[in-house]
Amino acid sequence: AQKITQTQPGMFVQEKEAVTLDCTYDTSDPSYGLFWYKQPSSGEMIFLIYQGSYDQQNATEGRYSLNFQKARKSANLVISASQLGDSAMYFCGLTMDSSYKLIFGSGTRLLVRP
Amino acid sequence: GAVVSQHPSWVICKSGTSVKIECRSLDFQATTMFWYRQFPKQSLMLMATSNEGSKATYEQGVEKDKFLINHASLTLSTLTVTSAHPEDSSFYICSAGTGPYNEQFFGPGTRLTVL
C-alpha cells in the first residue's frame, strides 16, 4: 500500500533563512508523482512543486526546490529565503501510475519568525 | 492555472438534514474529480473519486450511502451529506486534474457545521 510520511508536525525558521520540510513515501508503483502543496489559514490549497519518479533532475520553482532521493524514497521541500507569508501548513502528496488519486501526508506547520 | 469553484463556501444545518456541495471546473473539463475531508489541524483525507458518467469510487471506511456523489457533467460534481450529524462537521474540499502527473486544482473548500 502507498503511504506518505511527514515527521515534522511543526517547524520554525527565521525570516530570510532556508528551511527543509521532510517527506518520505512508500509505493510499489515504478511510476509515480510527488507534489507539495501549501495551505494557509484561509484553507485554500496552493500548488508549489512537482517531481516525477523518472525525472533525472530535482524540480525547482522559484524559491522552492525538491530534494528528490529516489533510493531513500524521500522528497524533501526546500524553501529558500523564507518570507513571513510562507507561514502555513505544507502537505506532501503522492500519485501513482494506476490512478489520479492524490494522497497526502499529515502535514508540517511552518512558522516564519521576523 | 485552472480554476475550480465550490458552493457554498460555508453552511450551517440542523442535525438530520441533507446538505449538497457543488464543485465546478470553470475553464477545463474534468472527467475525474476528488472529494476530501479535513478536520481541524489534520491532513486532507481522500473520501472518494468522482467519475463523470459512472459511479464514484469510495475510499475504505467512507459510507457511500452517507456521502452521495454525482458527477453529471464534465464540469460539475456534487457531494451530498445525507442525514448530517454533528460528527460530519468538517471542511470539505474538491479537486480536479487532467492526469496523475499533473497538478490537481483545488476548490476553495466548504466548511460544514451541523448543529
Side-chain angles (χ1 to χ4, degrees), chain B residues 43-90:
Chain B
S43 184
L44 283 76
M45 298 303 298
L46 181 64
M47 298 175 66
T49 303
S50 173
N51 302 298
E52 187 267 336
S54 64
K55 290 183 179 180
T57 305
Y58 291 83
E59 294 300 303
Q60 194 171 11
V62 177
E63 300 175 59
K64 59 181 180 181
D65 295 330
K66 173 81 172 174
F67 300 100
L68 301 180
I69 291 172
N70 183 273
H71 197 148
S73 76
L74 287 171
T75 58
L76 174 65
S77 174
T78 59
L79 169 69
T80 301
V81 183
T82 62
S83 187
H85 291 284
E87 57 266 28
D88 298 324
S89 298
S90 188

Short mmCIF file of all heavy atoms in Angstrom, two decimals, chain B residues 43-90:
data_model
loop_
_atom_site.label_atom_id
_atom_site.label_comp_id
_atom_site.label_asym_id
_atom_site.label_seq_id
_atom_site.Cartn_x
_atom_site.Cartn_y
_atom_site.Cartn_z
N SER B 43 -4.77 16.48 8.27
CA SER B 43 -4.50 16.46 6.84
C SER B 43 -5.78 16.27 6.05
O SER B 43 -6.85 16.04 6.61
CB SER B 43 -3.52 15.32 6.53
OG SER B 43 -3.16 15.34 5.17
N LEU B 44 -5.66 16.36 4.74
CA LEU B 44 -6.78 16.08 3.85
C LEU B 44 -6.88 14.57 3.68
O LEU B 44 -5.90 13.92 3.29
CB LEU B 44 -6.57 16.72 2.48
CG LEU B 44 -6.80 18.22 2.35
CD1 LEU B 44 -5.67 19.01 2.94
CD2 LEU B 44 -7.00 18.59 0.89
N MET B 45 -8.07 14.05 3.94
CA MET B 45 -8.30 12.62 3.76
C MET B 45 -9.17 12.42 2.53
O MET B 45 -10.28 12.97 2.46
CB MET B 45 -8.99 12.03 5.00
CG MET B 45 -8.17 12.14 6.26
SD MET B 45 -6.55 11.36 6.14
CE MET B 45 -7.02 9.66 5.85
N LEU B 46 -8.68 11.64 1.59
CA LEU B 46 -9.44 11.38 0.37
C LEU B 46 -10.67 10.55 0.71
O LEU B 46 -10.56 9.50 1.35
CB LEU B 46 -8.56 10.64 -0.63
CG LEU B 46 -9.21 10.31 -1.97
CD1 LEU B 46 -9.56 11.57 -2.74
CD2 LEU B 46 -8.28 9.43 -2.80
N MET B 47 -11.83 11.05 0.29
CA MET B 47 -13.07 10.34 0.54
C MET B 47 -13.46 9.47 -0.65
O MET B 47 -13.85 8.32 -0.48
CB MET B 47 -14.22 11.33 0.81
CG MET B 47 -14.03 12.21 2.02
SD MET B 47 -15.34 13.42 2.14
CE MET B 47 -16.76 12.40 2.45
N ALA B 48 -13.40 10.08 -1.83
CA ALA B 48 -13.90 9.36 -3.00
C ALA B 48 -13.38 9.99 -4.28
O ALA B 48 -12.99 11.16 -4.31
CB ALA B 48 -15.42 9.35 -2.99
N THR B 49 -13.41 9.18 -5.32
CA THR B 49 -13.09 9.62 -6.67
C THR B 49 -14.40 9.69 -7.44
O THR B 49 -15.14 8.71 -7.49
CB THR B 49 -12.13 8.64 -7.35
OG1 THR B 49 -10.96 8.52 -6.56
CG2 THR B 49 -11.77 9.12 -8.74
N SER B 50 -14.65 10.85 -8.02
CA SER B 50 -15.88 11.08 -8.75
C SER B 50 -15.59 10.98 -10.25
O SER B 50 -14.77 11.71 -10.77
CB SER B 50 -16.40 12.49 -8.41
OG SER B 50 -17.51 12.85 -9.20
N ASN B 51 -16.26 10.05 -10.92
CA ASN B 51 -16.04 9.82 -12.34
C ASN B 51 -17.27 10.24 -13.14
O ASN B 51 -18.39 9.81 -12.85
CB ASN B 51 -15.77 8.34 -12.60
CG ASN B 51 -14.58 7.83 -11.81
OD1 ASN B 51 -13.46 8.30 -11.99
ND2 ASN B 51 -14.82 6.90 -10.91
N GLU B 52 -17.04 11.07 -14.14
CA GLU B 52 -18.15 11.55 -14.96
C GLU B 52 -18.86 10.39 -15.64
O GLU B 52 -18.21 9.56 -16.29
CB GLU B 52 -17.63 12.55 -16.00
CG GLU B 52 -18.71 13.25 -16.80
CD GLU B 52 -19.05 12.55 -18.10
OE1 GLU B 52 -18.19 11.81 -18.60
OE2 GLU B 52 -20.17 12.76 -18.59
N GLY B 53 -20.14 10.33 -15.45
CA GLY B 53 -20.95 9.32 -16.11
C GLY B 53 -20.93 7.94 -15.49
O GLY B 53 -21.52 7.01 -16.03
N SER B 54 -20.25 7.79 -14.37
CA SER B 54 -20.24 6.49 -13.72
C SER B 54 -20.25 6.66 -12.20
O SER B 54 -20.19 7.78 -11.70
CB SER B 54 -19.03 5.67 -14.15
OG SER B 54 -17.84 6.30 -13.73
N LYS B 55 -20.32 5.54 -11.52
CA LYS B 55 -20.41 5.61 -10.06
C LYS B 55 -19.08 6.07 -9.46
O LYS B 55 -18.00 5.77 -9.99
CB LYS B 55 -20.77 4.24 -9.50
CG LYS B 55 -22.20 3.80 -9.79
CD LYS B 55 -22.50 2.46 -9.13
CE LYS B 55 -23.93 2.03 -9.40
NZ LYS B 55 -24.23 0.72 -8.77
N ALA B 56 -19.20 6.73 -8.33
CA ALA B 56 -17.99 7.16 -7.62
C ALA B 56 -17.30 5.97 -6.97
O ALA B 56 -17.93 4.95 -6.67
CB ALA B 56 -18.37 8.20 -6.56
N THR B 57 -16.02 6.11 -6.77
CA THR B 57 -15.24 5.10 -6.08
C THR B 57 -14.88 5.63 -4.71
O THR B 57 -14.21 6.67 -4.60
CB THR B 57 -13.94 4.79 -6.86
OG1 THR B 57 -14.28 4.42 -8.19
CG2 THR B 57 -13.19 3.65 -6.18
N TYR B 58 -15.31 4.94 -3.68
CA TYR B 58 -15.13 5.42 -2.31
C TYR B 58 -13.90 4.77 -1.66
O TYR B 58 -13.60 3.61 -1.90
CB TYR B 58 -16.38 5.12 -1.48
CG TYR B 58 -17.58 5.94 -1.89
CD1 TYR B 58 -18.38 5.55 -2.96
CD2 TYR B 58 -17.90 7.11 -1.22
CE1 TYR B 58 -19.47 6.31 -3.35
CE2 TYR B 58 -19.00 7.88 -1.58
CZ TYR B 58 -19.77 7.47 -2.65
OH TYR B 58 -20.85 8.23 -3.03
N GLU B 59 -13.25 5.54 -0.83
CA GLU B 59 -12.12 5.02 -0.06
C GLU B 59 -12.66 4.15 1.08
O GLU B 59 -13.82 4.28 1.51
CB GLU B 59 -11.27 6.16 0.48
CG GLU B 59 -10.59 6.97 -0.59
CD GLU B 59 -9.65 6.13 -1.44
OE1 GLU B 59 -8.72 5.50 -0.88
OE2 GLU B 59 -9.83 6.10 -2.68
N GLN B 60 -11.80 3.28 1.54
CA GLN B 60 -12.18 2.38 2.61
C GLN B 60 -12.62 3.17 3.84
O GLN B 60 -11.96 4.13 4.25
CB GLN B 60 -10.98 1.49 2.97
CG GLN B 60 -11.33 0.29 3.82
CD GLN B 60 -10.15 -0.66 3.96
OE1 GLN B 60 -9.02 -0.33 3.61
NE2 GLN B 60 -10.40 -1.83 4.49
N GLY B 61 -13.74 2.77 4.40
CA GLY B 61 -14.23 3.41 5.60
C GLY B 61 -15.18 4.56 5.36
O GLY B 61 -15.75 5.10 6.31
N VAL B 62 -15.36 4.98 4.11
CA VAL B 62 -16.28 6.07 3.79
C VAL B 62 -17.63 5.47 3.39
O VAL B 62 -17.70 4.62 2.50
CB VAL B 62 -15.73 6.93 2.65
CG1 VAL B 62 -16.73 8.03 2.26
CG2 VAL B 62 -14.39 7.54 3.04
N GLU B 63 -18.69 5.91 4.06
CA GLU B 63 -20.02 5.36 3.80
C GLU B 63 -20.60 5.96 2.53
O GLU B 63 -20.93 7.15 2.49
CB GLU B 63 -20.95 5.67 4.97
CG GLU B 63 -20.50 5.13 6.32
CD GLU B 63 -21.42 5.61 7.43
OE1 GLU B 63 -22.63 5.33 7.37
OE2 GLU B 63 -20.93 6.29 8.35
N LYS B 64 -20.79 5.14 1.52
CA LYS B 64 -21.29 5.66 0.25
C LYS B 64 -22.74 6.09 0.33
O LYS B 64 -23.19 6.94 -0.44
CB LYS B 64 -21.10 4.63 -0.87
CG LYS B 64 -21.80 3.32 -0.63
CD LYS B 64 -21.51 2.38 -1.79
CE LYS B 64 -22.20 1.04 -1.60
NZ LYS B 64 -21.91 0.08 -2.71
N ASP B 65 -23.51 5.52 1.26
CA ASP B 65 -24.90 5.93 1.41
C ASP B 65 -25.03 7.21 2.20
O ASP B 65 -26.06 7.88 2.18
CB ASP B 65 -25.71 4.83 2.09
CG ASP B 65 -25.79 3.57 1.25
OD1 ASP B 65 -25.74 3.69 0.00
OD2 ASP B 65 -25.87 2.48 1.81
N LYS B 66 -23.98 7.55 2.90
CA LYS B 66 -23.95 8.78 3.70
C LYS B 66 -23.47 9.96 2.85
O LYS B 66 -23.99 11.05 2.95
CB LYS B 66 -22.99 8.56 4.86
CG LYS B 66 -22.69 9.78 5.71
CD LYS B 66 -23.79 10.00 6.67
CE LYS B 66 -23.42 11.10 7.66
NZ LYS B 66 -24.57 11.41 8.51
N PHE B 67 -22.50 9.68 2.04
CA PHE B 67 -21.88 10.72 1.21
C PHE B 67 -22.15 10.37 -0.25
O PHE B 67 -21.42 9.60 -0.87
CB PHE B 67 -20.39 10.82 1.48
CG PHE B 67 -20.05 11.17 2.90
CD1 PHE B 67 -19.67 10.19 3.80
CD2 PHE B 67 -20.11 12.49 3.33
CE1 PHE B 67 -19.35 10.52 5.11
CE2 PHE B 67 -19.80 12.83 4.65
CZ PHE B 67 -19.43 11.84 5.53
N LEU B 68 -23.21 10.95 -0.78
CA LEU B 68 -23.62 10.66 -2.16
C LEU B 68 -22.88 11.58 -3.12
O LEU B 68 -22.90 12.79 -2.96
CB LEU B 68 -25.13 10.84 -2.31
CG LEU B 68 -26.02 9.97 -1.42
CD1 LEU B 68 -27.48 10.27 -1.68
CD2 LEU B 68 -25.72 8.50 -1.64
N ILE B 69 -22.29 10.98 -4.12
CA ILE B 69 -21.54 11.75 -5.11
C ILE B 69 -22.15 11.54 -6.48
O ILE B 69 -22.41 10.42 -6.90
CB ILE B 69 -20.05 11.35 -5.11
CG1 ILE B 69 -19.41 11.81 -3.80
CG2 ILE B 69 -19.32 11.96 -6.31
CD1 ILE B 69 -18.00 11.30 -3.60
N ASN B 70 -22.36 12.66 -7.17
CA ASN B 70 -22.88 12.63 -8.53
C ASN B 70 -22.01 13.48 -9.43
O ASN B 70 -21.70 14.62 -9.10
CB ASN B 70 -24.33 13.15 -8.54
CG ASN B 70 -24.93 13.06 -9.92
OD1 ASN B 70 -24.81 13.97 -10.74
ND2 ASN B 70 -25.58 11.95 -10.20
N HIS B 71 -21.59 12.92 -10.55
CA HIS B 71 -20.73 13.65 -11.49
C HIS B 71 -21.45 13.66 -12.84
O HIS B 71 -21.13 12.89 -13.73
CB HIS B 71 -19.39 12.91 -11.58
CG HIS B 71 -18.29 13.71 -12.18
ND1 HIS B 71 -16.98 13.55 -11.80
CD2 HIS B 71 -18.28 14.67 -13.12
CE1 HIS B 71 -16.21 14.38 -12.50
NE2 HIS B 71 -16.97 15.06 -13.30
N ALA B 72 -22.42 14.54 -12.92
CA ALA B 72 -23.36 14.52 -14.05
C ALA B 72 -22.79 15.10 -15.34
O ALA B 72 -23.26 14.80 -16.43
CB ALA B 72 -24.63 15.26 -13.67
N SER B 73 -21.77 15.95 -15.22
CA SER B 73 -21.19 16.55 -16.43
C SER B 73 -19.70 16.66 -16.25
O SER B 73 -19.16 16.39 -15.18
CB SER B 73 -21.80 17.93 -16.68
OG SER B 73 -21.25 18.88 -15.79
N LEU B 74 -19.03 17.09 -17.29
CA LEU B 74 -17.57 17.19 -17.26
C LEU B 74 -17.08 18.37 -16.43
O LEU B 74 -15.87 18.54 -16.25
CB LEU B 74 -17.02 17.30 -18.68
CG LEU B 74 -17.08 16.01 -19.49
CD1 LEU B 74 -16.71 16.29 -20.95
CD2 LEU B 74 -16.15 14.96 -18.92
N THR B 75 -18.00 19.18 -15.95
CA THR B 75 -17.58 20.34 -15.17
C THR B 75 -18.23 20.41 -13.79
O THR B 75 -17.98 21.35 -13.05
CB THR B 75 -17.91 21.66 -15.92
OG1 THR B 75 -19.32 21.70 -16.18
CG2 THR B 75 -17.16 21.73 -17.25
N LEU B 76 -19.03 19.42 -13.45
CA LEU B 76 -19.75 19.50 -12.17
C LEU B 76 -19.78 18.17 -11.45
O LEU B 76 -20.20 17.16 -12.01
CB LEU B 76 -21.18 20.00 -12.41
CG LEU B 76 -22.11 19.99 -11.19
CD1 LEU B 76 -21.62 20.98 -10.13
CD2 LEU B 76 -23.54 20.34 -11.60
N SER B 77 -19.37 18.20 -10.19
CA SER B 77 -19.54 17.07 -9.30
C SER B 77 -20.20 17.59 -8.03
O SER B 77 -19.91 18.70 -7.59
CB SER B 77 -18.19 16.43 -8.96
OG SER B 77 -18.35 15.40 -7.98
N THR B 78 -21.11 16.79 -7.48
CA THR B 78 -21.77 17.21 -6.24
C THR B 78 -21.58 16.15 -5.16
O THR B 78 -21.55 14.95 -5.44
CB THR B 78 -23.27 17.46 -6.45
OG1 THR B 78 -23.88 16.25 -6.92
CG2 THR B 78 -23.52 18.57 -7.45
N LEU B 79 -21.44 16.63 -3.95
CA LEU B 79 -21.36 15.77 -2.77
C LEU B 79 -22.54 16.11 -1.89
O LEU B 79 -22.71 17.28 -1.50
CB LEU B 79 -20.05 16.03 -2.03
CG LEU B 79 -19.93 15.41 -0.62
CD1 LEU B 79 -19.84 13.89 -0.71
CD2 LEU B 79 -18.69 15.96 0.11
N THR B 80 -23.35 15.12 -1.58
CA THR B 80 -24.48 15.32 -0.68
C THR B 80 -24.23 14.56 0.60
O THR B 80 -24.04 13.33 0.58
CB THR B 80 -25.79 14.85 -1.33
OG1 THR B 80 -26.01 15.58 -2.54
CG2 THR B 80 -26.97 15.10 -0.39
N VAL B 81 -24.22 15.29 1.69
CA VAL B 81 -24.09 14.67 3.01
C VAL B 81 -25.52 14.42 3.50
O VAL B 81 -26.27 15.36 3.76
CB VAL B 81 -23.33 15.57 3.99
CG1 VAL B 81 -23.15 14.87 5.33
CG2 VAL B 81 -21.98 15.99 3.41
N THR B 82 -25.90 13.17 3.56
CA THR B 82 -27.28 12.84 3.91
C THR B 82 -27.42 12.65 5.42
O THR B 82 -26.51 12.16 6.08
CB THR B 82 -27.74 11.56 3.20
OG1 THR B 82 -26.90 10.47 3.63
CG2 THR B 82 -27.62 11.70 1.69
N SER B 83 -28.57 13.09 5.93
CA SER B 83 -28.86 12.96 7.36
C SER B 83 -27.62 13.35 8.19
O SER B 83 -27.06 12.54 8.94
CB SER B 83 -29.28 11.53 7.69
OG SER B 83 -29.71 11.44 9.04
N ALA B 84 -27.24 14.58 8.02
CA ALA B 84 -26.00 15.05 8.64
C ALA B 84 -26.10 15.05 10.16
O ALA B 84 -27.16 15.32 10.74
CB ALA B 84 -25.68 16.46 8.14
N HIS B 85 -24.97 14.74 10.79
CA HIS B 85 -24.88 14.76 12.25
C HIS B 85 -23.68 15.61 12.64
O HIS B 85 -22.80 15.89 11.81
CB HIS B 85 -24.75 13.33 12.78
CG HIS B 85 -25.99 12.54 12.61
ND1 HIS B 85 -27.09 12.71 13.42
CD2 HIS B 85 -26.33 11.59 11.70
CE1 HIS B 85 -28.06 11.88 13.03
NE2 HIS B 85 -27.62 11.19 11.99
N PRO B 86 -23.62 16.04 13.89
CA PRO B 86 -22.51 16.91 14.31
C PRO B 86 -21.12 16.36 13.97
O PRO B 86 -20.22 17.14 13.66
CB PRO B 86 -22.72 17.03 15.82
CG PRO B 86 -24.19 16.93 15.99
CD PRO B 86 -24.63 15.91 14.96
N GLU B 87 -20.97 15.06 13.98
CA GLU B 87 -19.65 14.48 13.66
C GLU B 87 -19.28 14.62 12.18
O GLU B 87 -18.13 14.35 11.80
CB GLU B 87 -19.58 13.00 14.07
CG GLU B 87 -20.64 12.13 13.45
CD GLU B 87 -21.86 11.97 14.33
OE1 GLU B 87 -22.17 12.90 15.13
OE2 GLU B 87 -22.52 10.91 14.21
N ASP B 88 -20.25 15.01 11.36
CA ASP B 88 -19.96 15.27 9.94
C ASP B 88 -19.43 16.68 9.73
O ASP B 88 -19.02 17.03 8.61
CB ASP B 88 -21.23 15.08 9.09
CG ASP B 88 -21.76 13.67 9.16
OD1 ASP B 88 -20.93 12.73 9.21
OD2 ASP B 88 -23.00 13.49 9.18
N SER B 89 -19.45 17.49 10.77
CA SER B 89 -18.92 18.85 10.67
C SER B 89 -17.44 18.77 10.29
O SER B 89 -16.66 18.10 10.96
CB SER B 89 -19.08 19.59 11.99
OG SER B 89 -20.45 19.72 12.34
N SER B 90 -17.09 19.45 9.23
CA SER B 90 -15.73 19.35 8.72
C SER B 90 -15.54 20.34 7.58
O SER B 90 -16.48 21.05 7.19
CB SER B 90 -15.46 17.92 8.22
OG SER B 90 -14.11 17.74 7.89
#
